């Protein structure tokens, strides 16, 4: 019976088996790339699989069945089989953009799988703006990233702070990585005014910028990630016909603001009053006053001239930029080639920045498994620099000159101060200060930079989602600075018959990266990504400097013509970093996420006993909107929570901070050496543990979306100088002591207000950061002016006397005593003696919060983009005010017009003390010169029109766009100085990193930002 029934069962099953068929397919995105991890299910059953790393799936299904194809970040599709054995499906992205590829360290991840805090910006945020460096373009567009352009000088250093300042004596700039190469970002300026090496990167070549902010995202860069990591990806070619793009734009710049100084009549009135209030009869007599004023005016009536000196150094200036690129290729070879010429004149006379840049990117698929390529850029930039803000020769200090002094001295018909009519030699007594126009007339200061940056790579596909990639990169930067000061400048430089200086520095870095990456999907719901690799970097800086005097004439301006070489020096220094890194991420069902990374770094900068350190991080995430109870919800289209914790480091210090060093010395021609630094073999990097929690959301089919992040960064082991007993022969040594903290919240919000023919999108970001020094293990560390590092206060807090206004009885400046009484109460009495006032916190240069708003409108071919940035809660110390805003109490510098509100008679209520020539009344550094630094600025407005493709093709073009742009159009602030976005250069580029970091929020004759207007056209063919 059994033998009879079994064949019957087999026969009965044959029809069912015959109804099943094998099906294979490939899932692609709209960009033509494969989409891994896509769920493919036969509708009405549990029969399904997931696509592999190449987007391929295989499944046995019933004939004429229907597939349901779904993936996080893509619109779900239903596809009828219709008897087919293979098919190709293209998935459209949803508005949540969860499938978007985000560049991370040593690879990419989809936005859906990210568990770290990352901001990615595109070339639309960077290109076609009239700025020298891309950082200026992204200002106000990334939450938690504070960017400050210190002044209107071109090519100068720019401060970038990611989630606050995490070091006192180390570097505080983020790590910049271009196409996998950590680039040279060291300041190579020969003066204390920093230059900006990042300006060598052509913004037009940038495809995307990714900012890694929390430890989960940045810890794979280990000991250099505390200050954040900025990953820059440049443009690449795509398969297809060769496309050419030409861009031309031109315009002009002007100062955003000018200060109001006294005119001739006001100057004569106020200085006469101040001279009369001086008790010295040799100064206050009518005859002495008349003689002095005629001397200021060049021997004529004091009211003969009314010179606006500010207008002589702030000007309208032209801008022009030309871009050309070509890209294309086929399935095997793709290329991108570009060139740029940019020339921008500064709003400060004699300041100019010129850049020529070329890039070549090539990708070649040699075999099915092997590909290789090259990324290479070469730049040449020429910066006609301006002297430091504190130099008498810097143009902005011209405002000190009296308006009654003529621009052209009628006695010599030369710029005032050029020649003494009596001797024919450079003038030593007229005007009363050195005239900076003489340095413009008779001097030059040019920095020329040549840079080669790039890498070559090879990538081997080992199969089943496993790739091996090897990269060899280099960044070579040579900066030459040449300065010449002619005889006409001798009053400022000394009578040396000309002064010449040549400084040259070369910073060369070699980078080798080798790593394996693995991506795969298992058992339908398990997605795994792994990265494992090693990295080696070696950087070498060398330089020399030579100065000479006694030139035969001003026609000879190179040092070979100098009769006397007065100084010469050279140096060489180097460092190396060897690293091992790993990262893993796991996703279950596309909604439960886990990530981990670690980096082991070994740095030559630290002691032999502490040279290696490990920097781990871990993170989790939950994509709630993919849960059954929320999936398809019409209100809540995206909801994701994530959290991370990790450790990063900072090793951006001098190369030999841990070593006991000797220095060469000599005495009357006899060579010798001496100990110069006490070493510490236990010295190591600063460490930061960061905690982050984030929420990502989307509402109403993502018409409203955004993120919220809260974080805390605890930095310990601050590398600081510590006192040692004098018997050692040294006063200090370097040690890891002290701690500080940054904590804050970041908010981003994007709303698609209108969709259709007319679109309007608004993007808002805001961030709050609180910085606090917890421990210094020693005394306060002083910066410039009133800046200080003090435990319990934010870094750079202004500590000094508190100004109490003016005594109505006599016009004297008053200061609060602010001393503690014996009973513990605070004595708020006043004193005229500033030295009796207790130093107290009187301002914070760190913003309480920063943000930006970008509105984008489009209608058919027209588009309008406007960005407004804001910085609030910070204060600014005006270092020049004790000279030009004190009613001649500190000399005869011209004064700002607010000094006309000075005290004049008993009973006057005012904050401006009595004008007493050289009286010192209210001139001491105090809160009198600390102002609110809040500002809002309309950073950019761009109006463009894209010609319809049908019309463009008639002109044999693929695209055509014309646009007008305004940059720094409006500034809203109560700050009375030139510009609230300020950081005077001579205190931020010194060799003393502690002083640079502490000295924030200082203005000292610092030029305002430029307002720029441009007209441009882009053509594609």
């Amino acid at each position: 019976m059994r033998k009879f029934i079994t064949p019957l069962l087999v026969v009965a099953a044959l029809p069912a088996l015959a109804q099943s068929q094998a099906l294979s397919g490939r899932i692609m995105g709209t960009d033509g790339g494969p989409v891994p991890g896509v769920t493919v299910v036969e509708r009405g059953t549990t029969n399904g699989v997931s696509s592999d790393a190449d987007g391929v799936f295989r499944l046995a299904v019933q004939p004429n069945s229907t597939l349901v194809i779904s993936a996080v970040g893509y619109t779900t599709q239903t596809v009828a089989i219709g008897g087919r054995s293979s098919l190709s499906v293209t998935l459209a992205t949803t508005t949540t953009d969860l499938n978007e590829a985000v560049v991370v360290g040593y690879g990419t991840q989809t936005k859906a799988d990210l568990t770290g805090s990352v901001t990615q910006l595109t070339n639309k945020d960077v290109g076609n703006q009239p700025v020298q460096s891309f950082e200026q373009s992204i200002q106000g567009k990334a939450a938690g990233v504070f960017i400050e352009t210190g002044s209107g000088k071109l090519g100068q250093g720019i401060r970038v702070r990611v989630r606050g300042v995490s070091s006192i004596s180390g570097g505080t700039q983020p790590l910049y990585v271009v196409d996998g190469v950590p680039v040279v970002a060291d300041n190579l300026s020969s003066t204390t005014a920093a230059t900006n090496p990042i300006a060598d990167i052509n913004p037009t070549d940038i495809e995307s910028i990714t900012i890694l902010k929390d430890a989960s995202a940045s810890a794979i860069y280990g000991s250099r990630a505390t200050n954040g990591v900025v990953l820059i990806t440049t443009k690449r070619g795509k398969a297809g016909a060769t496309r050419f793009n030409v861009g031309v734009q031109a315009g002009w710049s002007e100062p955003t603001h000018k200060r109001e100084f006294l005119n001739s009549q006001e100057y004569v009135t106020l200085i006469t009053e101040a001279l009369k209030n001086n008790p010295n009869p040799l100064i206050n007599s009518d005859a002495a006053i008349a003689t002095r004023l005629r001397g200021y005016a060049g021997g004529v009536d004091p009211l003969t001239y009314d010179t606006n000196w500010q207008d002589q150094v702030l000007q309208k200036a032209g801008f022009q930029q030309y871009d050309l690129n070509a890209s294309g290729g086929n399935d095997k070879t793709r290329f991108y080639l570009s060139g740029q010429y940019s020339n921008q004149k500064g709003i400060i006379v004699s300041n100019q920045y010129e850049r020529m840049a070329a890039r070549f990117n090539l990708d070649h698929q040699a075999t099915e498994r092997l590909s290789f390529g090259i990324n290479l850029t070469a730049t040449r930039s020429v910066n006609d620099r301006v002297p430091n803000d504190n130099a008498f020769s810097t143009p902005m200090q011209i405002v000190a000159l009296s308006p009654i002094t003529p621009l052209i001295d009628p006695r010599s018909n030369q710029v005032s101060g050029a020649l003494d009519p009596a001797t024919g030699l450079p003038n030593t007594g007229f005007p009363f200060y050195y005239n900076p126009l003489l340095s413009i007339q008779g001097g030059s200061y040019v920095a020329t930079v040549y840079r080669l940056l790039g890498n070559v790579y090879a990538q081997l596909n080992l199969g089943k989602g496993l790739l091996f990639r090897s990269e060899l990169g280099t960044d070579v930067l040579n900066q030459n600075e040449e300065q010449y000061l002619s005889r006409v400048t001798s009053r400022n430089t000394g009578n040396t018959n000309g002064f010449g200086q040549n400084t040259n520095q070369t910073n060369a870095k070699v980078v080798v990266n080798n790593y394996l990456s693995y991506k795969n999907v298992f058992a339908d719901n398990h997605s795994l990504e792994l990265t494992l690799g090693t990295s080696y970097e070696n950087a070498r800086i060398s330089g020399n400097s030579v100065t000479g005097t006694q030139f035969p004439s001003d026609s000879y301006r190179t040092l070979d013509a100098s009769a006397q070489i007065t100084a010469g020096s050279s140096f060489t220094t180097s460092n190396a970093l060897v690293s091992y890194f790993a990262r893993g991420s796991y996703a279950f069902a596309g909604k439960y996420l886990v990530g981990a990374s670690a980096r082991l770094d070994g740095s030559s900068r630290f002691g032999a006993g502490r040279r290696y350190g490990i920097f781990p991080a871990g993170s989790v995430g939950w994509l709630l909107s993919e849960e059954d109870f929320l999936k398809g919800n019409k209100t809540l289209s995206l909801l994701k929570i994530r959290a991370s914790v990790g450790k990063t480091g900072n090793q951006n210090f001098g190369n030999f901070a841990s070593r006991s060093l000797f220095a060469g010395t000599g005495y009357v021609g006899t060579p010798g050496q001496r100990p110069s630094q006490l070493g510490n073999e236990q010295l190591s990097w600063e460490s930061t543990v960061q905690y982050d929690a984030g929420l990502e959301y989307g509402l109403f089919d993502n018409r409203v979306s955004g993120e919220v992040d809260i974080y805390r960064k605890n930095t310990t082991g601050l590398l600081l100088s510590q006192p040692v007993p004098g018997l050692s022969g040294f006063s200090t040594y370097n040690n890891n002591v002290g701690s500080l903290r940054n904590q804050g919240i970041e908010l981003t919000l994007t709303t698609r207000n209108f969709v259709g023919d007319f679109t309007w999108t608004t993007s808002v970001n805001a961030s709050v950061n609180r910085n606090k020094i917890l421990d210094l293990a020693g005394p306060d560390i002083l910066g410039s002016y009133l800046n200080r590092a003090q435990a319990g206060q934010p870094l750079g807090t202004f500590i000094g006397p508190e100004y109490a206004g003016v005594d109505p009885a006599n016009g004297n400046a008053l200061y609060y005593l602010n001393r503690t009484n014996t009973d513990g109460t605070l004595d708020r009495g006043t004193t005229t003696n500033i030295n009796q006032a207790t130093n107290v916190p009187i301002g914070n240069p760190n913003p309480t919060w920063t943000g930006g708003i970008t509105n984008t409108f489009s209608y058919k071919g027209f588009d309008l983009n406007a960005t407004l940035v804001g910085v609030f809660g910070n204060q600014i110390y005006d270092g020049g005010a004790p000279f030009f805003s004190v009613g001649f109490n500190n000399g005869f510098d011209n004064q700002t017009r607010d000094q006309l509100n000075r005290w004049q008679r008993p009973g006057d209520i005012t904050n401006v003390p009595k004008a007493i020539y050289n009286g010192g009344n209210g001139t001491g550094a105090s809160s009198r010169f600390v102002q609110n630094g809040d500002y809002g600025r309309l950073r950019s407005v761009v109006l463009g029109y894209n010609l319809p493709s049908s019309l463009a093709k008639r002109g044999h073009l693929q695209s055509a766009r014309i646009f007008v742009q305004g940059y720094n159009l409006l500034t809203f602030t109560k700050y009375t100085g030139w510009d609230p976005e300020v950081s005077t250069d001579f205190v931020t580029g010194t060799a003393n990193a502690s002083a640079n970091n502490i000295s924030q929020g200082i203005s000292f004759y610092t030029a305002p930002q430029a307002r720029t207007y441009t007209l441009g056209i882009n053509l594609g063919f």
Side-chain angles (χ1 to χ4, degrees):
M1 187 70 173
R2 182 178 177 184
K3 292 181 180 180
F4 177 75
I5 294 175
T6 300
L8 287 178
L9 293 175
V10 173
V11 172
L14 286 175
L17 291 172
Q19 291 176 358
S20 178
Q21 70 176 67
L23 176 69
S24 64
R26 189 167 187 261
I27 312 297
M28 297 176 295
T30 53
D31 61 354
V35 182
V38 177
T39 301
V40 181
V41 178
E42 184 179 356
R43 188 165 64 180
T45 73
T46 58
N47 180 33
V49 294
S50 294
S51 62
D52 62 17
D54 296 321
V56 175
F57 71 91
R58 292 176 177 83
L59 183 66
V61 297
Q62 299 297 312
N64 300 316
S65 62
T66 299
L67 298 182
V68 178
I69 302 174
S70 62
V72 174
Y74 293 88
T75 301
T76 299
Q77 285 194 34
T78 56
V79 180
I81 300 300
R84 288 177 290 177
S85 61
S86 65
L87 56 87
S88 178
V89 178
T90 299
L91 291 184
T93 59
T94 64
T95 53
T96 59
D97 286 334
L98 288 177
N99 65 301
E100 176 187 357
V102 178
V103 178
V104 294
Y106 306 100
T108 61
Q109 285 185 292
T110 61
K111 190 173 181 180
D113 292 339
L114 278 177
T115 51
S117 182
V118 174
T119 297
Q120 180 157 301
L121 303 169
T122 69
N123 53 12
K124 295 179 181 179
D125 301 300
V126 181
N128 286 328
Q129 296 203 25
V131 295
Q132 302 84 50
S133 192
F134 76 86
E135 310 105 291
Q136 297 165 286
S137 298
I138 65 175
Q139 194 170 17
K141 295 182 180 179
V145 182
F146 174 56
I147 300 173
E148 181 181 73
T149 304
S151 77
K153 293 181 181 179
L154 302 178
Q156 66 164 14
I158 295 175
R159 286 191 171 194
V160 180
R161 300 291 182 260
V162 178
R163 292 186 169 181
V165 180
S166 297
S167 182
I168 295 176
S169 63
T172 53
Q173 294 281 95
L175 173 68
Y176 295 96
V177 181
V178 178
D179 291 331
V181 179
V183 301
V184 171
D186 301 317
N187 167 35
L188 299 186
S189 174
S190 63
T191 74
T192 57
T195 52
N196 182 15
I198 304 302
D200 297 321
I201 300 171
N202 179 6
T204 307
D205 285 337
I206 295 176
E207 179 67 27
S208 69
I209 297 172
T210 304
I211 304 170
L212 312 180
K213 296 185 289 187
D214 74 336
S216 171
S218 63
I220 198 166
Y221 287 100
S223 63
R224 297 171 295 174
T226 285
N227 301 317
V229 181
V230 178
L231 305 177
I232 301 167
T233 303
T234 59
K235 295 177 180 178
R236 318 202 70 77
K238 297 180 180 179
T242 300
R243 295 195 59 175
F244 294 89
N245 289 280
V246 176
V248 178
Q249 57 176 316
W252 75 93
S253 301
E254 61 188 20
T256 52
H257 177 64
K258 293 182 180 180
R259 302 188 74 161
E260 292 188 357
F261 288 86
L262 302 179
N263 61 32
S264 289
Q265 182 61 66
E266 294 164 337
Y267 181 89
V268 169
T269 299
L270 187 58
I271 197 171
T272 299
E273 180 181 322
L275 289 165
K276 284 189 171 296
N277 288 335
N278 187 290
N280 188 343
L282 298 177
I283 293 176
N284 63 23
S285 68
D286 291 342
I289 293 173
T291 300
R292 180 184 296 271
L293 293 179
R294 288 183 67 86
Y296 292 172
V300 298
D301 185 289
L303 297 180
T304 301
Y305 302 102
D306 188 7
T307 306
N308 187 327
W309 289 105
Q310 187 176 207
D311 285 348
Q312 303 307 312
V313 294
L314 292 177
Q315 63 179 4
K316 283 189 176 182
F319 166 79
Q320 55 182 319
Q321 180 172 303
Y322 307 91
D323 290 281
L324 172 65
N325 66 68
S327 62
N330 52 39
D331 292 339
K332 285 188 172 293
T333 305
R334 301 176 307 280
F335 72 92
Y336 173 82
L337 177 66
S338 75
Q340 183 192 74
Y341 174 77
S342 174
N343 191 334
Q344 185 163 6
K345 292 186 176 181
I347 59 169
I348 311 169
V349 291
S350 77
N351 188 204
Q352 182 172 330
Y353 188 86
E354 179 186 50
R355 179 178 60 218
M356 290 184 287
R359 170 167 287 278
F360 178 60
N361 289 351
L362 178 71
D363 301 285
H364 178 67
Q365 189 74 42
T367 69
E368 184 178 341
R369 291 181 177 273
L370 177 64
S371 61
F372 57 82
I374 185 172
N375 310 287
L376 185 65
T377 183
T379 60
R380 175 185 181 269
S381 62
V382 179
N383 186 0
D384 291 332
R385 300 187 65 186
V386 177
N388 299 0
D389 288 345
N390 65 328
F392 285 114
S393 56
T394 194
M396 291 300 294
Q397 289 211 26
I398 202 171
V399 298
L401 296 182
S402 167
I404 66 177
T405 300
L407 172 63
I408 303 298
D409 188 343
R411 298 167 295 182
S412 64
N413 290 321
Q414 305 250 356
V415 172
S416 285
L419 295 176
D420 186 335
T423 66
L425 299 175
N427 208 312
T428 59
F430 179 81
F432 50 69
Y433 288 136
Y434 175 75
N435 185 350
L437 292 179
L438 300 178
S439 289
I440 295 168
Q441 173 184 313
S444 61
Y445 181 18
V446 180
T448 303
V449 174
Y450 292 91
R451 189 168 195 171
L452 187 68
L453 167 64
N455 67 353
V456 293
Y457 75 88
Q459 183 168 290
L460 183 63
N461 186 342
L462 301 175
K464 297 184 178 181
L466 182 62
L467 298 174
F468 173 73
R469 186 179 178 96
S470 182
E471 300 172 343
L472 173 62
T474 188
D475 187 6
V476 181
L477 188 157
N478 176 267
Q479 179 163 311
N480 178 270
E481 295 180 78
E482 193 159 11
Q483 184 177 20
Y484 181 78
L485 299 171
S486 70
R487 287 162 172 75
V488 77
T489 69
S490 62
R491 182 178 175 187
N492 185 55
T493 59
N495 187 17
T496 58
N497 290 322
F499 171 86
Q501 179 175 8
N502 186 284
T503 301
N504 190 83
Q505 293 192 58
T506 299
N507 194 333
K509 174 184 285 191
V510 175
V511 181
V512 180
N513 296 322
N514 291 288
Y515 57 95
L516 288 163
S517 61
Y518 176 74
K519 294 184 179 182
N520 214 337
V521 178
F522 302 93
D524 301 341
N525 285 323
H526 304 273
S527 175
L528 181 66
E529 296 185 18
L530 299 173
T531 300
L532 177 66
T534 181
S535 177
Y536 171 77
E537 296 182 28
N538 185 284
R540 179 184 178 89
I541 305 177
S542 59
N544 57 73
S545 178
V546 182
T547 62
T549 59
Q550 302 302 324
F551 290 77
S553 80
D554 289 335
S555 298
Y556 298 86
R557 297 197 169 199
T558 55
L559 284 170
D560 62 327
S562 168
Q564 184 174 355
I565 299 299
T566 56
S569 64
S570 66
F571 74 94
T572 299
T573 183
S574 63
N575 67 84
L577 182 73
V578 61
S579 309
Y580 307 90
F581 55 87
R583 179 181 59 233
S585 63
Y586 168 74
F588 175 69
K591 51 191 174 185
Y592 307 112
L593 313 171
V594 178
S597 65
R599 186 176 181 115
L600 175 67
D601 273 339
S603 174
S604 64
R605 286 176 166 165
F606 300 114
R610 301 290 299 278
R611 190 157 290 166
Y612 285 87
I614 188 167
F615 302 90
S619 57
V620 294
W622 183 13
L623 197 56
L624 284 84
S625 52
E626 288 300 306
E627 295 288 359
D628 291 340
F629 59 84
L630 282 179
K631 200 167 186 178
N633 189 296
K634 295 186 180 299
T635 301
L636 189 62
S637 49
L638 169 66
L639 182 61
K640 178 181 177 182
I641 58 175
R642 48 181 169 76
S644 69
V645 61
K647 179 182 178 182
T648 56
N650 186 1
Q651 60 111 39
N652 196 359
F653 301 95
N655 286 337
F656 307 109
S658 66
R659 306 290 183 88
S660 293
L661 301 179
F662 287 79
T665 187
Y667 181 70
V668 293
T670 302
Q673 60 180 334
R674 61 177 176 81
S676 62
Q677 179 176 287
L678 185 62
N680 178 4
E681 287 298 317
Q682 297 302 308
L683 195 70
S684 188
W685 30 60
E686 300 175 344
S687 296
T688 298
V689 175
Q690 183 172 181
Y691 306 87
D692 183 277
L695 171 71
E696 301 174 21
Y697 63 90
L699 304 172
F700 313 114
D701 194 24
N702 226 45
R703 291 287 293 272
V704 178
S705 62
E707 297 184 27
V708 180
D709 273 270
I710 57 174
Y711 64 88
R712 171 175 283 190
K713 297 170 63 177
N714 295 323
T715 302
T716 58
L718 295 177
L719 196 156
L720 301 173
S721 295
Q722 292 290 286
V724 295
L727 293 175
S728 67
F730 296 90
S731 58
T732 62
Y733 83 120
N734 295 316
N735 198 13
N736 292 110
V737 294
S739 59
L740 60 79
R741 181 180 67 214
N742 287 277
Q743 58 186 7
I745 184 170
E746 299 167 358
L747 306 170
T748 63
L749 173 67
T750 299
T751 60
R752 295 188 298 136
N753 308 311
F754 289 95
V755 294
D757 287 341
F758 174 73
T759 66
W760 172 23
T761 301
T762 302
S763 297
V764 182
N765 74 82
S767 56
V768 175
N769 184 77
R770 295 289 186 273
N771 174 277
K772 185 177 183 180
I773 299 173
L774 302 179
D775 178 33
L776 287 176
D780 296 349
I781 305 174
L782 303 182
S784 63
Y785 298 95
L786 299 178
N787 289 125
R788 185 176 298 187
Q790 178 175 302
Q793 297 292 334
L795 180 65
T797 294
F798 299 122
I799 306 290
E802 184 182 1
Y803 185 60
V806 175
D807 187 340
N810 55 27
N812 289 335
L814 297 175
Y815 304 90
Y816 290 109
L817 291 170
N818 280 329
R819 58 191 177 196
T820 304
N821 297 317
T822 55
D823 61 357
T825 60
L826 184 65
D827 184 354
R828 292 285 286 173
T830 60
T831 177
T832 58
N833 186 349
I834 193 173
N835 296 314
Q836 294 180 358
T838 303
N839 290 333
V840 296
I842 54 176
N844 182 2
N846 302 282
T848 301
W849 70 277
T850 60
I853 302 174
T854 299
N855 280 288
T856 303
F857 308 87
S858 67
Y859 179 70
K860 296 186 177 179
F862 291 93
D863 58 81
L864 175 66
N865 183 283
T867 297
L868 179 70
V869 301
V871 176
F872 303 95
N874 63 302
Q875 284 77 46
I876 298 170
Y877 180 81
D878 191 344
F883 301 96
F884 55 62
S885 293
V886 288
F888 297 106
N889 270 281
N890 199 14
F892 30 68
D893 304 53
N894 196 10
Q895 302 291 295
T896 50
R897 296 196 73 251
D898 61 304
Q899 296 306 297
L900 297 175
N901 298 323
R902 78 283 186 192
W903 182 97
Q904 291 182 280
R905 58 188 62 84
D908 283 352
I909 305 300
T910 179
N911 270 332
V912 182
K914 180 180 180 179
I916 308 171
Y917 178 76
N918 270 342
N921 188 16
T923 62
S926 72
S927 64
R928 179 186 179 190
F929 307 114
V930 176
Q931 292 193 46
N932 186 329
D934 294 355
Y935 73 89
R937 174 165 276 163
L938 186 56
R939 177 66 72 191
S940 67
V941 177
V942 183
L943 174 63
Y945 176 68
N946 296 285
L947 198 68
S949 58
S950 57
L951 292 179
K953 289 178 180 178
R954 292 181 184 179
H956 304 286
L957 298 172
Q958 290 185 339
S959 62
R961 171 179 167 81
I962 187 171
F963 63 92
V964 292
Q965 179 173 209
Y967 189 78
N968 287 339
L969 286 178
L970 299 171
T971 303
F972 309 94
T973 183
K974 293 182 179 179
Y975 177 63
T976 62
W978 276 285
D979 200 305
E981 186 183 347
V982 63
S983 182
T984 191
D985 57 19
F986 76 96
V987 299
T988 56
T990 69
N992 186 332
S994 295
N996 299 345
N997 293 336
I998 297 170
S999 302
Q1000 305 176 61
I1002 302 295
S1003 174
F1004 190 84
Y1005 299 92
T1006 307
Q1009 305 284 323
R1011 180 188 298 115
T1012 305
Y1013 305 90
T1014 64
L1015 171 66
I1017 185 170
N1018 293 327
L1019 302 176
F1021 53 91

